[in-house]
Amino acid sequence: MNRILISGTNSNCGKTTITMALLAAFQNRCLEIASFKSGPDYIDPMFHRKVFNVETHNLDPYFSTEQMLCDQFIRNCGKDLSIIEGAMGFYDGIGVEGRASAWEVAKSIKAPAVLIIDAKGMSNSAAAIIKGFKEFKEESMVEGVIFNGISPMLYPLLRDIVQKEGIKAYGFLPREEKYSIGSRNLGLITADEIEDIKEKINGLRELAEKYIDLDGLFELAKSAPVLEASEDYKELIESSKMDSDKKTRIAVSRDNAFCFMYKENIEILEDLGCEVVYFSPLEDEELPDNISGLYLCGGYPELYTEELSKNRKLCDEIKDIIERGIPTIAECGGFMYLHDSIEEIPMVGFIKGNCIKTDKLQRFGYIEIKALQDNLLCNEGDIIRVHEFHYYDSENCGEAFMAKKASNGLEYLCCHGSDSLYAGFPHIYLPANPDFAKSFVDNARNWKG
């Protein structure tokens, strides 16, 4: 359970770059590593899996209780080391209270936190910032600092200034534009889109090995206390598993167009006795054989509209099987794919209407959705916590659920629902309400095709 949380003073201070540098450097020491990301982030975990081939999961205190966070961490932690990357600034979260922040993750799993400061142009101000972060909460979890974007000549001064205040400095990373990795509106560009990714990661590793106190960070990680797991959801799992050896097969979309999926969603389906089989709406002309459920996850279908549209055989099969009642979850990008069209380019055609690009975020942030009718996932009145993030909008968003924003209480209708369907822009985190997962699996298990 050796672990550290890497967070920062604000977004864009270098957390992701330094996290990648540390993953590469510790992996080069032949350590068995796992990585985690706080908050509802798909891109960084996907990047870590692809580039570093490490187990990567989300830890989100909006979706999960403190004990759930501990259980999720214990289940997936690395044998030698776990590195958790915080989202936004360390204390930033929902509303004035800053709920669901990286600090809440650190406190819940008792992970020592190392703060990243972009310290270009600073001297004594750096000590004021780190001291303020350390003293802002009684149990701040802040145990050190790494400076980003500074020169080797400046580091000794900054190190001495912060250590004079009793805060340990664990090194720095100089600014090297040739190792920077681009971004899109949802975060990092995916690993498959970067031709020289190995060169960039090797460059970051070399910088970390030269300028960051890796031994000190590993000792800090080893100081984290033991966590205790609970047995809370064992009864649900055991009650849902089949007696038969034949598992229910759930087809899940996975390719460059459909790449946003919480790993925990897959795990809970597997825990409930399902066999998850992946398919590519870009490449495959047919769905996998003998499936009883369909999960169309989010992603970037808008970047691949021509390719998706040309694959008419699969589009027609998906429309037909949904019309025949196969239990189906389609969220965000998967929801868009089910429409008649995206930007007037034909798609599956199950949901009437067109999806169009807008010039601003249509929905962003954490929400709760409350069922207004019985549906595939739940009964009328049931609630689950989810999140939204999309620039595209639909002419037919649905009215099966009422959404309520966590930040300001704003309410609006969303999602399509029936006894065999959940489809909408909100991304579902199934462990936030395992009964939703169980209902999906039970319906898939009972579907006769």
Side-chain angles (χ1 to χ4, degrees), residues 150-185:
I150 66 170
S151 69
M153 290 185 295
L154 181 59
Y155 176 67
L157 173 63
L158 288 171
R159 178 197 61 207
D160 292 347
I161 286 171
V162 299
Q163 292 189 166
K164 182 181 178 182
E165 298 298 329
I167 300 157
K168 184 170 176 56
Y170 287 95
F172 70 100
L173 211 64
R175 196 178 305 277
E176 289 283 359
E177 292 300 327
K178 63 181 177 180
Y179 300 140
S180 66
I181 295 171
S183 64
R184 192 185 279 120
N185 55 19

Side-chain angles (χ1 to χ4, degrees), residues 173-205:
L173 211 64
R175 196 178 305 277
E176 289 283 359
E177 292 300 327
K178 63 181 177 180
Y179 300 140
S180 66
I181 295 171
S183 64
R184 192 185 279 120
N185 55 19
L186 295 181
L188 286 175
I189 289 175
T190 61
D192 290 331
E193 300 174 273
I194 305 172
E195 293 181 2
D196 56 349
I197 185 62
K198 289 185 178 179
E199 178 183 341
K200 290 177 182 290
I201 296 300
N202 281 333
L204 291 175
R205 173 186 58 79

